[in-house]
Amino acid sequence: GAGVSQSPRYKVAKRGQDVALRCDPISGHVSLFWYQQALGQGPEFLTYFQNEAQLDKSGLPSDRFFAERPEGSVSTLKIQRTQQEDSAVYLCASSLARGPNEQFFGPGTRLTVL
Amino acid sequence: AQSVTQLDSHVSVSEGTPVLLRCNYSSSYSPSLFWYVQHPNKGLQLLLKYTSAATLVKGINGFEAEFKKSETSFHLTKPSAHMSDAAEYFCVVSEDNYGQNFVFGPGTRLSVLP
């Protein structure tokens, strides 16, 4: 079953807590993306990796957001000192190579900050 | 910079009637365009993509879209709606010159009435 997987599927955090969201891309996919989808809106780009290199992090909303992909496969999105406005679905996607390729999306992690 | 406009936030059709979901884009370079569908509690699934080949693109489940550069449009159509088509639809633009991240439109919710 070689789709993109994300964990946890649901996360509830108290304001001020740190959270870590995990993404397992499709094996062999070079590119990995994180998006944030607020309720009733389209996903918005956060950051992009090619293998282990983070080539674009222009979408990260603040320095509380940090992403890594140390071995070029699994990626973790970390949010420090969570705020209520961080509540959203966080989507991970992967694609095979450079260029305008189809991105394969995971089911997302729904983060609720109380 | 890239942007996507989906003119209708909600479209309602009767089963068996045609579907038209409108999308207009703004792009500085030759874009790649995609339509994704998101069913409740499921991940985003690619319907079809345009990457500078044929301007009329056929996708899965009977959907198709036509790229019209002069109108900067990429409208999604289907001749006959099915109940299972009820979902959220996102138009997406990607410019390779700006990297690989997708820019999503705000989405159109399609309702199919019996």
Side-chain angles (χ1 to χ4, degrees), chain A residues 31 33 35 37 42-43 45 48 56 91 97-103 105-106, chain B residues 32 34 36 38 41 43-44 46 49 51 90 96 98 100-102 104-106:
Chain A
S31 299
F33 307 80
Y35 295 86
Q37 185 175 20
F45 170 78
Y48 156 60
D56 186 350
L91 297 170
R98 287 188 59 81
N101 295 294
E102 173 185 1
Q103 293 184 18
F105 284 82
Chain B
S32 295
F34 305 77
Y36 276 80
Q38 188 174 40
N41 298 317
L44 287 157
L46 179 70
K49 66 178 181 180
T51 54
F90 294 97
D96 198 38
Y98 276 85
Q100 300 185 68
N101 59 293
F102 281 1
F104 282 77

PDB file of all heavy atoms in Angstrom, chain A residues 31 33 35 37 42-43 45 48 56 91 97-103 105-106, chain B residues 32 34 36 38 41 43-44 46 49 51 90 96 98 100-102 104-106:
ATOM      1  N   SER A  31      10.941  14.509  -4.186  1.00  0.00           N
ATOM      2  CA  SER A  31      10.402  15.783  -3.695  1.00  0.00           C
ATOM      3  C   SER A  31       9.349  15.558  -2.626  1.00  0.00           C
ATOM      4  O   SER A  31       8.530  14.648  -2.728  1.00  0.00           O
ATOM      5  CB  SER A  31       9.787  16.574  -4.853  1.00  0.00           C
ATOM      6  OG  SER A  31      10.763  16.858  -5.828  1.00  0.00           O
ATOM      7  N   PHE A  33       6.670  17.885   0.043  1.00  0.00           N
ATOM      8  CA  PHE A  33       6.054  19.189   0.289  1.00  0.00           C
ATOM      9  C   PHE A  33       5.188  19.127   1.542  1.00  0.00           C
ATOM     10  O   PHE A  33       4.570  18.108   1.830  1.00  0.00           O
ATOM     11  CB  PHE A  33       5.135  19.582  -0.878  1.00  0.00           C
ATOM     12  CG  PHE A  33       5.786  19.539  -2.229  1.00  0.00           C
ATOM     13  CD1 PHE A  33       5.943  18.343  -2.899  1.00  0.00           C
ATOM     14  CD2 PHE A  33       6.233  20.700  -2.836  1.00  0.00           C
ATOM     15  CE1 PHE A  33       6.543  18.294  -4.152  1.00  0.00           C
ATOM     16  CE2 PHE A  33       6.822  20.669  -4.083  1.00  0.00           C
ATOM     17  CZ  PHE A  33       6.977  19.462  -4.746  1.00  0.00           C
ATOM     18  N   TYR A  35       1.941  21.399   3.262  1.00  0.00           N
ATOM     19  CA  TYR A  35       0.927  22.422   3.051  1.00  0.00           C
ATOM     20  C   TYR A  35       0.093  22.558   4.322  1.00  0.00           C
ATOM     21  O   TYR A  35      -0.057  21.600   5.088  1.00  0.00           O
ATOM     22  CB  TYR A  35      -0.012  22.049   1.893  1.00  0.00           C
ATOM     23  CG  TYR A  35       0.638  21.972   0.536  1.00  0.00           C
ATOM     24  CD1 TYR A  35       1.262  20.808   0.093  1.00  0.00           C
ATOM     25  CD2 TYR A  35       0.637  23.075  -0.323  1.00  0.00           C
ATOM     26  CE1 TYR A  35       1.861  20.734  -1.156  1.00  0.00           C
ATOM     27  CE2 TYR A  35       1.230  23.014  -1.575  1.00  0.00           C
ATOM     28  CZ  TYR A  35       1.835  21.835  -1.981  1.00  0.00           C
ATOM     29  OH  TYR A  35       2.431  21.769  -3.220  1.00  0.00           O
ATOM     30  N   GLN A  37      -3.810  23.613   5.462  1.00  0.00           N
ATOM     31  CA  GLN A  37      -5.163  23.848   4.959  1.00  0.00           C
ATOM     32  C   GLN A  37      -6.068  24.274   6.107  1.00  0.00           C
ATOM     33  O   GLN A  37      -6.451  23.458   6.951  1.00  0.00           O
ATOM     34  CB  GLN A  37      -5.732  22.610   4.269  1.00  0.00           C
ATOM     35  CG  GLN A  37      -7.083  22.850   3.619  1.00  0.00           C
ATOM     36  CD  GLN A  37      -7.593  21.657   2.831  1.00  0.00           C
ATOM     37  OE1 GLN A  37      -7.151  20.527   3.040  1.00  0.00           O
ATOM     38  NE2 GLN A  37      -8.510  21.901   1.908  1.00  0.00           N
ATOM     39  N   GLY A  42      -8.359  26.443   0.544  1.00  0.00           N
ATOM     40  CA  GLY A  42      -7.445  25.574  -0.166  1.00  0.00           C
ATOM     41  C   GLY A  42      -6.121  25.447   0.572  1.00  0.00           C
ATOM     42  O   GLY A  42      -5.753  26.313   1.363  1.00  0.00           O
ATOM     43  N   PRO A  43      -5.402  24.366   0.325  1.00  0.00           N
ATOM     44  CA  PRO A  43      -4.088  24.208   0.950  1.00  0.00           C
ATOM     45  C   PRO A  43      -3.140  25.331   0.560  1.00  0.00           C
ATOM     46  O   PRO A  43      -3.179  25.816  -0.575  1.00  0.00           O
ATOM     47  CB  PRO A  43      -3.598  22.865   0.399  1.00  0.00           C
ATOM     48  CG  PRO A  43      -4.837  22.136  -0.005  1.00  0.00           C
ATOM     49  CD  PRO A  43      -5.774  23.196  -0.486  1.00  0.00           C
ATOM     50  N   PHE A  45       1.021  26.439   0.561  1.00  0.00           N
ATOM     51  CA  PHE A  45       2.374  25.906   0.588  1.00  0.00           C
ATOM     52  C   PHE A  45       3.132  26.372   1.825  1.00  0.00           C
ATOM     53  O   PHE A  45       3.077  27.547   2.190  1.00  0.00           O
ATOM     54  CB  PHE A  45       3.111  26.362  -0.668  1.00  0.00           C
ATOM     55  CG  PHE A  45       4.590  26.083  -0.668  1.00  0.00           C
ATOM     56  CD1 PHE A  45       5.073  24.814  -0.927  1.00  0.00           C
ATOM     57  CD2 PHE A  45       5.491  27.098  -0.414  1.00  0.00           C
ATOM     58  CE1 PHE A  45       6.428  24.555  -0.941  1.00  0.00           C
ATOM     59  CE2 PHE A  45       6.862  26.857  -0.423  1.00  0.00           C
ATOM     60  CZ  PHE A  45       7.325  25.580  -0.689  1.00  0.00           C
ATOM     61  N   TYR A  48       9.363  22.935   0.968  1.00  0.00           N
ATOM     62  CA  TYR A  48       9.657  21.930  -0.060  1.00  0.00           C
ATOM     63  C   TYR A  48      11.064  21.378   0.145  1.00  0.00           C
ATOM     64  O   TYR A  48      12.008  22.139   0.390  1.00  0.00           O
ATOM     65  CB  TYR A  48       9.520  22.577  -1.439  1.00  0.00           C
ATOM     66  CG  TYR A  48      10.288  21.910  -2.553  1.00  0.00           C
ATOM     67  CD1 TYR A  48      10.052  20.583  -2.905  1.00  0.00           C
ATOM     68  CD2 TYR A  48      11.239  22.622  -3.283  1.00  0.00           C
ATOM     69  CE1 TYR A  48      10.754  19.986  -3.932  1.00  0.00           C
ATOM     70  CE2 TYR A  48      11.943  22.025  -4.317  1.00  0.00           C
ATOM     71  CZ  TYR A  48      11.698  20.712  -4.647  1.00  0.00           C
ATOM     72  OH  TYR A  48      12.381  20.116  -5.666  1.00  0.00           O
ATOM     73  N   ASP A  56      13.028  25.353  -0.337  1.00  0.00           N
ATOM     74  CA  ASP A  56      12.113  26.482  -0.274  1.00  0.00           C
ATOM     75  C   ASP A  56      11.346  26.395   1.036  1.00  0.00           C
ATOM     76  O   ASP A  56      10.677  25.392   1.289  1.00  0.00           O
ATOM     77  CB  ASP A  56      11.149  26.458  -1.471  1.00  0.00           C
ATOM     78  CG  ASP A  56      10.260  27.696  -1.561  1.00  0.00           C
ATOM     79  OD1 ASP A  56      10.228  28.496  -0.611  1.00  0.00           O
ATOM     80  OD2 ASP A  56       9.590  27.861  -2.595  1.00  0.00           O
ATOM     81  N   LEU A  91      -0.971  18.971   5.453  1.00  0.00           N
ATOM     82  CA  LEU A  91      -0.881  17.981   4.389  1.00  0.00           C
ATOM     83  C   LEU A  91       0.557  17.799   3.947  1.00  0.00           C
ATOM     84  O   LEU A  91       1.295  18.779   3.797  1.00  0.00           O
ATOM     85  CB  LEU A  91      -1.720  18.416   3.189  1.00  0.00           C
ATOM     86  CG  LEU A  91      -3.228  18.548   3.407  1.00  0.00           C
ATOM     87  CD1 LEU A  91      -3.874  19.220   2.207  1.00  0.00           C
ATOM     88  CD2 LEU A  91      -3.856  17.193   3.643  1.00  0.00           C
ATOM     89  N   ALA A  97       9.991  13.480  -9.092  1.00  0.00           N
ATOM     90  CA  ALA A  97      11.184  14.177  -9.551  1.00  0.00           C
ATOM     91  C   ALA A  97      10.883  15.651  -9.707  1.00  0.00           C
ATOM     92  O   ALA A  97       9.805  16.126  -9.371  1.00  0.00           O
ATOM     93  CB  ALA A  97      11.654  13.577 -10.879  1.00  0.00           C
ATOM     94  N   ARG A  98      11.850  16.383 -10.251  1.00  0.00           N
ATOM     95  CA  ARG A  98      11.664  17.797 -10.504  1.00  0.00           C
ATOM     96  C   ARG A  98      10.627  18.015 -11.603  1.00  0.00           C
ATOM     97  O   ARG A  98      10.277  17.115 -12.317  1.00  0.00           O
ATOM     98  CB  ARG A  98      12.984  18.416 -10.979  1.00  0.00           C
ATOM     99  CG  ARG A  98      14.022  18.568  -9.914  1.00  0.00           C
ATOM    100  CD  ARG A  98      15.191  19.372 -10.454  1.00  0.00           C
ATOM    101  NE  ARG A  98      14.774  20.683 -10.906  1.00  0.00           N
ATOM    102  CZ  ARG A  98      14.589  21.720 -10.101  1.00  0.00           C
ATOM    103  NH1 ARG A  98      14.764  21.596  -8.806  1.00  0.00           N
ATOM    104  NH2 ARG A  98      14.217  22.885 -10.588  1.00  0.00           N
ATOM    105  N   GLY A  99      10.174  19.233 -11.716  1.00  0.00           N
ATOM    106  CA  GLY A  99       9.257  19.566 -12.788  1.00  0.00           C
ATOM    107  C   GLY A  99       7.813  19.517 -12.338  1.00  0.00           C
ATOM    108  O   GLY A  99       7.511  19.200 -11.196  1.00  0.00           O
ATOM    109  N   PRO A 100       6.916  19.828 -13.246  1.00  0.00           N
ATOM    110  CA  PRO A 100       5.481  19.919 -12.903  1.00  0.00           C
ATOM    111  C   PRO A 100       4.830  18.550 -12.817  1.00  0.00           C
ATOM    112  O   PRO A 100       3.955  18.197 -13.585  1.00  0.00           O
ATOM    113  CB  PRO A 100       4.925  20.733 -14.064  1.00  0.00           C
ATOM    114  CG  PRO A 100       5.800  20.371 -15.217  1.00  0.00           C
ATOM    115  CD  PRO A 100       7.171  20.182 -14.646  1.00  0.00           C
ATOM    116  N   ASN A 101       5.264  17.781 -11.877  1.00  0.00           N
ATOM    117  CA  ASN A 101       4.744  16.431 -11.738  1.00  0.00           C
ATOM    118  C   ASN A 101       3.572  16.380 -10.782  1.00  0.00           C
ATOM    119  O   ASN A 101       3.427  17.228  -9.897  1.00  0.00           O
ATOM    120  CB  ASN A 101       5.845  15.507 -11.219  1.00  0.00           C
ATOM    121  CG  ASN A 101       6.983  15.358 -12.197  1.00  0.00           C
ATOM    122  OD1 ASN A 101       6.814  14.804 -13.274  1.00  0.00           O
ATOM    123  ND2 ASN A 101       8.144  15.855 -11.824  1.00  0.00           N
ATOM    124  N   GLU A 102       2.776  15.340 -10.943  1.00  0.00           N
ATOM    125  CA  GLU A 102       1.693  15.098 -10.005  1.00  0.00           C
ATOM    126  C   GLU A 102       2.268  14.955  -8.602  1.00  0.00           C
ATOM    127  O   GLU A 102       3.281  14.301  -8.393  1.00  0.00           O
ATOM    128  CB  GLU A 102       0.956  13.817 -10.369  1.00  0.00           C
ATOM    129  CG  GLU A 102      -0.092  13.388  -9.347  1.00  0.00           C
ATOM    130  CD  GLU A 102      -0.723  12.060  -9.684  1.00  0.00           C
ATOM    131  OE1 GLU A 102      -0.333  11.464 -10.698  1.00  0.00           O
ATOM    132  OE2 GLU A 102      -1.609  11.632  -8.921  1.00  0.00           O
ATOM    133  N   GLN A 103       1.617  15.597  -7.647  1.00  0.00           N
ATOM    134  CA  GLN A 103       1.957  15.406  -6.246  1.00  0.00           C
ATOM    135  C   GLN A 103       0.939  14.455  -5.643  1.00  0.00           C
ATOM    136  O   GLN A 103      -0.268  14.585  -5.869  1.00  0.00           O
ATOM    137  CB  GLN A 103       1.961  16.735  -5.502  1.00  0.00           C
ATOM    138  CG  GLN A 103       3.080  17.662  -5.961  1.00  0.00           C
ATOM    139  CD  GLN A 103       3.163  18.942  -5.165  1.00  0.00           C
ATOM    140  OE1 GLN A 103       2.630  19.061  -4.066  1.00  0.00           O
ATOM    141  NE2 GLN A 103       3.864  19.934  -5.714  1.00  0.00           N
ATOM    142  N   PHE A 105      -0.785  13.134  -2.313  1.00  0.00           N
ATOM    143  CA  PHE A 105      -1.045  13.694  -0.994  1.00  0.00           C
ATOM    144  C   PHE A 105      -1.372  12.616   0.036  1.00  0.00           C
ATOM    145  O   PHE A 105      -2.039  11.623  -0.264  1.00  0.00           O
ATOM    146  CB  PHE A 105      -2.213  14.684  -1.064  1.00  0.00           C
ATOM    147  CG  PHE A 105      -1.828  15.992  -1.680  1.00  0.00           C
ATOM    148  CD1 PHE A 105      -1.785  16.143  -3.052  1.00  0.00           C
ATOM    149  CD2 PHE A 105      -1.488  17.077  -0.879  1.00  0.00           C
ATOM    150  CE1 PHE A 105      -1.412  17.360  -3.625  1.00  0.00           C
ATOM    151  CE2 PHE A 105      -1.129  18.291  -1.436  1.00  0.00           C
ATOM    152  CZ  PHE A 105      -1.083  18.428  -2.810  1.00  0.00           C
ATOM    153  N   GLY A 106      -0.924  12.863   1.248  1.00  0.00           N
ATOM    154  CA  GLY A 106      -1.341  12.056   2.373  1.00  0.00           C
ATOM    155  C   GLY A 106      -2.691  12.503   2.892  1.00  0.00           C
ATOM    156  O   GLY A 106      -3.242  13.501   2.425  1.00  0.00           O
TER     157      GLY A 106
ATOM    158  N   SER B  32       1.873  24.924 -15.477  1.00  0.00           N
ATOM    159  CA  SER B  32       1.211  23.632 -15.468  1.00  0.00           C
ATOM    160  C   SER B  32      -0.028  23.779 -14.600  1.00  0.00           C
ATOM    161  O   SER B  32      -0.001  24.490 -13.589  1.00  0.00           O
ATOM    162  CB  SER B  32       2.130  22.550 -14.894  1.00  0.00           C
ATOM    163  OG  SER B  32       3.246  22.366 -15.729  1.00  0.00           O
ATOM    164  N   PHE B  34      -3.576  21.849 -12.809  1.00  0.00           N
ATOM    165  CA  PHE B  34      -4.094  20.594 -12.299  1.00  0.00           C
ATOM    166  C   PHE B  34      -5.494  20.832 -11.714  1.00  0.00           C
ATOM    167  O   PHE B  34      -5.818  21.936 -11.273  1.00  0.00           O
ATOM    168  CB  PHE B  34      -3.215  20.061 -11.158  1.00  0.00           C
ATOM    169  CG  PHE B  34      -1.751  19.903 -11.495  1.00  0.00           C
ATOM    170  CD1 PHE B  34      -0.905  21.004 -11.547  1.00  0.00           C
ATOM    171  CD2 PHE B  34      -1.214  18.651 -11.747  1.00  0.00           C
ATOM    172  CE1 PHE B  34       0.448  20.861 -11.836  1.00  0.00           C
ATOM    173  CE2 PHE B  34       0.141  18.497 -12.035  1.00  0.00           C
ATOM    174  CZ  PHE B  34       0.961  19.599 -12.084  1.00  0.00           C
ATOM    175  N   TYR B  36      -7.612  18.849  -8.660  1.00  0.00           N
ATOM    176  CA  TYR B  36      -7.640  17.824  -7.631  1.00  0.00           C
ATOM    177  C   TYR B  36      -9.035  17.783  -7.012  1.00  0.00           C
ATOM    178  O   TYR B  36      -9.726  18.815  -6.936  1.00  0.00           O
ATOM    179  CB  TYR B  36      -6.619  18.133  -6.518  1.00  0.00           C
ATOM    180  CG  TYR B  36      -5.208  17.677  -6.802  1.00  0.00           C
ATOM    181  CD1 TYR B  36      -4.367  18.417  -7.628  1.00  0.00           C
ATOM    182  CD2 TYR B  36      -4.714  16.504  -6.243  1.00  0.00           C
ATOM    183  CE1 TYR B  36      -3.065  17.992  -7.878  1.00  0.00           C
ATOM    184  CE2 TYR B  36      -3.413  16.078  -6.478  1.00  0.00           C
ATOM    185  CZ  TYR B  36      -2.596  16.820  -7.295  1.00  0.00           C
ATOM    186  OH  TYR B  36      -1.308  16.401  -7.542  1.00  0.00           O
ATOM    187  N   GLN B  38     -11.235  16.457  -3.484  1.00  0.00           N
ATOM    188  CA  GLN B  38     -11.083  16.082  -2.084  1.00  0.00           C
ATOM    189  C   GLN B  38     -12.438  15.652  -1.543  1.00  0.00           C
ATOM    190  O   GLN B  38     -13.331  16.490  -1.355  1.00  0.00           O
ATOM    191  CB  GLN B  38     -10.521  17.248  -1.270  1.00  0.00           C
ATOM    192  CG  GLN B  38     -10.155  16.904   0.162  1.00  0.00           C
ATOM    193  CD  GLN B  38      -9.471  18.076   0.881  1.00  0.00           C
ATOM    194  OE1 GLN B  38      -9.852  19.228   0.723  1.00  0.00           O
ATOM    195  NE2 GLN B  38      -8.441  17.786   1.666  1.00  0.00           N
ATOM    196  N   ASN B  41     -12.983  13.607   4.466  1.00  0.00           N
ATOM    197  CA  ASN B  41     -12.117  12.711   5.249  1.00  0.00           C
ATOM    198  C   ASN B  41     -11.221  11.838   4.374  1.00  0.00           C
ATOM    199  O   ASN B  41     -10.779  10.772   4.810  1.00  0.00           O
ATOM    200  CB  ASN B  41     -12.950  11.834   6.179  1.00  0.00           C
ATOM    201  CG  ASN B  41     -13.722  12.664   7.183  1.00  0.00           C
ATOM    202  OD1 ASN B  41     -13.193  13.610   7.757  1.00  0.00           O
ATOM    203  ND2 ASN B  41     -14.986  12.348   7.369  1.00  0.00           N
ATOM    204  N   GLY B  43      -7.909  11.959   1.268  1.00  0.00           N
ATOM    205  CA  GLY B  43      -6.826  12.777   0.738  1.00  0.00           C
ATOM    206  C   GLY B  43      -7.159  13.356  -0.615  1.00  0.00           C
ATOM    207  O   GLY B  43      -8.090  12.935  -1.291  1.00  0.00           O
ATOM    208  N   LEU B  44      -6.384  14.333  -1.038  1.00  0.00           N
ATOM    209  CA  LEU B  44      -6.537  14.946  -2.349  1.00  0.00           C
ATOM    210  C   LEU B  44      -6.139  13.947  -3.430  1.00  0.00           C
ATOM    211  O   LEU B  44      -5.110  13.285  -3.342  1.00  0.00           O
ATOM    212  CB  LEU B  44      -5.641  16.177  -2.449  1.00  0.00           C
ATOM    213  CG  LEU B  44      -6.112  17.389  -1.653  1.00  0.00           C
ATOM    214  CD1 LEU B  44      -4.947  18.318  -1.340  1.00  0.00           C
ATOM    215  CD2 LEU B  44      -7.178  18.132  -2.437  1.00  0.00           C
ATOM    216  N   LEU B  46      -5.681  13.426  -7.708  1.00  0.00           N
ATOM    217  CA  LEU B  46      -5.538  14.105  -8.985  1.00  0.00           C
ATOM    218  C   LEU B  46      -6.632  13.662  -9.947  1.00  0.00           C
ATOM    219  O   LEU B  46      -6.850  12.468 -10.151  1.00  0.00           O
ATOM    220  CB  LEU B  46      -4.175  13.794  -9.592  1.00  0.00           C
ATOM    221  CG  LEU B  46      -3.905  14.424 -10.953  1.00  0.00           C
ATOM    222  CD1 LEU B  46      -3.726  15.938 -10.801  1.00  0.00           C
ATOM    223  CD2 LEU B  46      -2.664  13.824 -11.613  1.00  0.00           C
ATOM    224  N   LYS B  49      -4.284  16.785 -15.433  1.00  0.00           N
ATOM    225  CA  LYS B  49      -3.255  17.819 -15.447  1.00  0.00           C
ATOM    226  C   LYS B  49      -2.959  18.266 -16.872  1.00  0.00           C
ATOM    227  O   LYS B  49      -3.086  17.494 -17.828  1.00  0.00           O
ATOM    228  CB  LYS B  49      -1.973  17.315 -14.790  1.00  0.00           C
ATOM    229  CG  LYS B  49      -1.263  16.197 -15.530  1.00  0.00           C
ATOM    230  CD  LYS B  49       0.032  15.821 -14.808  1.00  0.00           C
ATOM    231  CE  LYS B  49       0.782  14.715 -15.550  1.00  0.00           C
ATOM    232  NZ  LYS B  49       2.047  14.347 -14.853  1.00  0.00           N
ATOM    233  N   THR B  51       0.151  20.042 -19.026  1.00  0.00           N
ATOM    234  CA  THR B  51       1.570  20.420 -18.962  1.00  0.00           C
ATOM    235  C   THR B  51       2.091  20.734 -20.358  1.00  0.00           C
ATOM    236  O   THR B  51       3.079  20.177 -20.801  1.00  0.00           O
ATOM    237  CB  THR B  51       2.414  19.307 -18.314  1.00  0.00           C
ATOM    238  OG1 THR B  51       2.168  18.074 -19.033  1.00  0.00           O
ATOM    239  CG2 THR B  51       2.076  19.108 -16.868  1.00  0.00           C
ATOM    240  N   PHE B  90     -10.380  21.467  -6.354  1.00  0.00           N
ATOM    241  CA  PHE B  90      -9.363  22.509  -6.307  1.00  0.00           C
ATOM    242  C   PHE B  90      -8.642  22.613  -7.639  1.00  0.00           C
ATOM    243  O   PHE B  90      -8.155  21.601  -8.171  1.00  0.00           O
ATOM    244  CB  PHE B  90      -8.336  22.219  -5.215  1.00  0.00           C
ATOM    245  CG  PHE B  90      -8.892  22.286  -3.815  1.00  0.00           C
ATOM    246  CD1 PHE B  90      -9.280  21.133  -3.157  1.00  0.00           C
ATOM    247  CD2 PHE B  90      -9.031  23.505  -3.176  1.00  0.00           C
ATOM    248  CE1 PHE B  90      -9.789  21.195  -1.869  1.00  0.00           C
ATOM    249  CE2 PHE B  90      -9.543  23.575  -1.884  1.00  0.00           C
ATOM    250  CZ  PHE B  90      -9.931  22.413  -1.249  1.00  0.00           C
ATOM    251  N   ASP B  96       7.240  26.021 -13.057  1.00  0.00           N
ATOM    252  CA  ASP B  96       8.531  25.403 -12.797  1.00  0.00           C
ATOM    253  C   ASP B  96       9.614  26.426 -12.538  1.00  0.00           C
ATOM    254  O   ASP B  96      10.562  26.186 -11.816  1.00  0.00           O
ATOM    255  CB  ASP B  96       8.928  24.505 -13.965  1.00  0.00           C
ATOM    256  CG  ASP B  96      10.012  23.524 -13.565  1.00  0.00           C
ATOM    257  OD1 ASP B  96       9.977  23.021 -12.436  1.00  0.00           O
ATOM    258  OD2 ASP B  96      10.900  23.274 -14.376  1.00  0.00           O
ATOM    259  N   TYR B  98       9.402  28.951 -10.767  1.00  0.00           N
ATOM    260  CA  TYR B  98       9.309  29.357  -9.372  1.00  0.00           C
ATOM    261  C   TYR B  98       9.487  28.170  -8.427  1.00  0.00           C
ATOM    262  O   TYR B  98       9.156  28.260  -7.256  1.00  0.00           O
ATOM    263  CB  TYR B  98       7.949  30.012  -9.106  1.00  0.00           C
ATOM    264  CG  TYR B  98       7.914  31.474  -9.462  1.00  0.00           C
ATOM    265  CD1 TYR B  98       7.642  31.889 -10.742  1.00  0.00           C
ATOM    266  CD2 TYR B  98       8.148  32.452  -8.501  1.00  0.00           C
ATOM    267  CE1 TYR B  98       7.604  33.230 -11.062  1.00  0.00           C
ATOM    268  CE2 TYR B  98       8.117  33.787  -8.805  1.00  0.00           C
ATOM    269  CZ  TYR B  98       7.840  34.177 -10.099  1.00  0.00           C
ATOM    270  OH  TYR B  98       7.802  35.503 -10.409  1.00  0.00           O
ATOM    271  N   GLN B 100       8.651  24.169  -7.440  1.00  0.00           N
ATOM    272  CA  GLN B 100       7.665  23.145  -7.730  1.00  0.00           C
ATOM    273  C   GLN B 100       6.410  23.264  -6.886  1.00  0.00           C
ATOM    274  O   GLN B 100       5.528  22.438  -7.006  1.00  0.00           O
ATOM    275  CB  GLN B 100       8.283  21.782  -7.503  1.00  0.00           C
ATOM    276  CG  GLN B 100       9.491  21.508  -8.361  1.00  0.00           C
ATOM    277  CD  GLN B 100       9.981  20.098  -8.176  1.00  0.00           C
ATOM    278  OE1 GLN B 100       9.328  19.155  -8.549  1.00  0.00           O
ATOM    279  NE2 GLN B 100      11.133  19.975  -7.559  1.00  0.00           N
ATOM    280  N   ASN B 101       6.351  24.254  -6.000  1.00  0.00           N
ATOM    281  CA  ASN B 101       5.197  24.253  -5.120  1.00  0.00           C
ATOM    282  C   ASN B 101       3.927  24.576  -5.883  1.00  0.00           C
ATOM    283  O   ASN B 101       3.935  25.307  -6.870  1.00  0.00           O
ATOM    284  CB  ASN B 101       5.382  25.230  -3.970  1.00  0.00           C
ATOM    285  CG  ASN B 101       5.604  26.656  -4.453  1.00  0.00           C
ATOM    286  OD1 ASN B 101       6.616  26.941  -5.057  1.00  0.00           O
ATOM    287  ND2 ASN B 101       4.644  27.523  -4.187  1.00  0.00           N
ATOM    288  N   PHE B 102       2.846  23.973  -5.430  1.00  0.00           N
ATOM    289  CA  PHE B 102       1.541  24.207  -5.988  1.00  0.00           C
ATOM    290  C   PHE B 102       0.902  25.432  -5.343  1.00  0.00           C
ATOM    291  O   PHE B 102       1.031  25.645  -4.138  1.00  0.00           O
ATOM    292  CB  PHE B 102       0.629  23.006  -5.716  1.00  0.00           C
ATOM    293  CG  PHE B 102       0.841  21.827  -6.620  1.00  0.00           C
ATOM    294  CD1 PHE B 102       1.798  21.821  -7.613  1.00  0.00           C
ATOM    295  CD2 PHE B 102       0.049  20.695  -6.479  1.00  0.00           C
ATOM    296  CE1 PHE B 102       1.973  20.726  -8.449  1.00  0.00           C
ATOM    297  CE2 PHE B 102       0.213  19.594  -7.308  1.00  0.00           C
ATOM    298  CZ  PHE B 102       1.167  19.610  -8.283  1.00  0.00           C
ATOM    299  N   PHE B 104      -2.861  26.625  -4.809  1.00  0.00           N
ATOM    300  CA  PHE B 104      -4.225  26.135  -4.878  1.00  0.00           C
ATOM    301  C   PHE B 104      -5.220  27.287  -4.958  1.00  0.00           C
ATOM    302  O   PHE B 104      -5.011  28.348  -4.349  1.00  0.00           O
ATOM    303  CB  PHE B 104      -4.563  25.320  -3.623  1.00  0.00           C
ATOM    304  CG  PHE B 104      -4.010  23.933  -3.603  1.00  0.00           C
ATOM    305  CD1 PHE B 104      -2.672  23.708  -3.320  1.00  0.00           C
ATOM    306  CD2 PHE B 104      -4.828  22.846  -3.861  1.00  0.00           C
ATOM    307  CE1 PHE B 104      -2.161  22.423  -3.301  1.00  0.00           C
ATOM    308  CE2 PHE B 104      -4.323  21.554  -3.833  1.00  0.00           C
ATOM    309  CZ  PHE B 104      -2.991  21.344  -3.558  1.00  0.00           C
ATOM    310  N   GLY B 105      -6.313  27.055  -5.676  1.00  0.00           N
ATOM    311  CA  GLY B 105      -7.445  27.951  -5.572  1.00  0.00           C
ATOM    312  C   GLY B 105      -8.204  27.691  -4.288  1.00  0.00           C
ATOM    313  O   GLY B 105      -7.890  26.745  -3.548  1.00  0.00           O
ATOM    314  N   PRO B 106      -9.211  28.522  -3.996  1.00  0.00           N
ATOM    315  CA  PRO B 106      -9.953  28.381  -2.733  1.00  0.00           C
ATOM    316  C   PRO B 106     -10.894  27.185  -2.705  1.00  0.00           C
ATOM    317  O   PRO B 106     -11.389  26.821  -1.642  1.00  0.00           O
ATOM    318  CB  PRO B 106     -10.741  29.687  -2.650  1.00  0.00           C
ATOM    319  CG  PRO B 106     -10.887  30.115  -4.068  1.00  0.00           C
ATOM    320  CD  PRO B 106      -9.650  29.677  -4.777  1.00  0.00           C
TER     321      PRO B 106
END
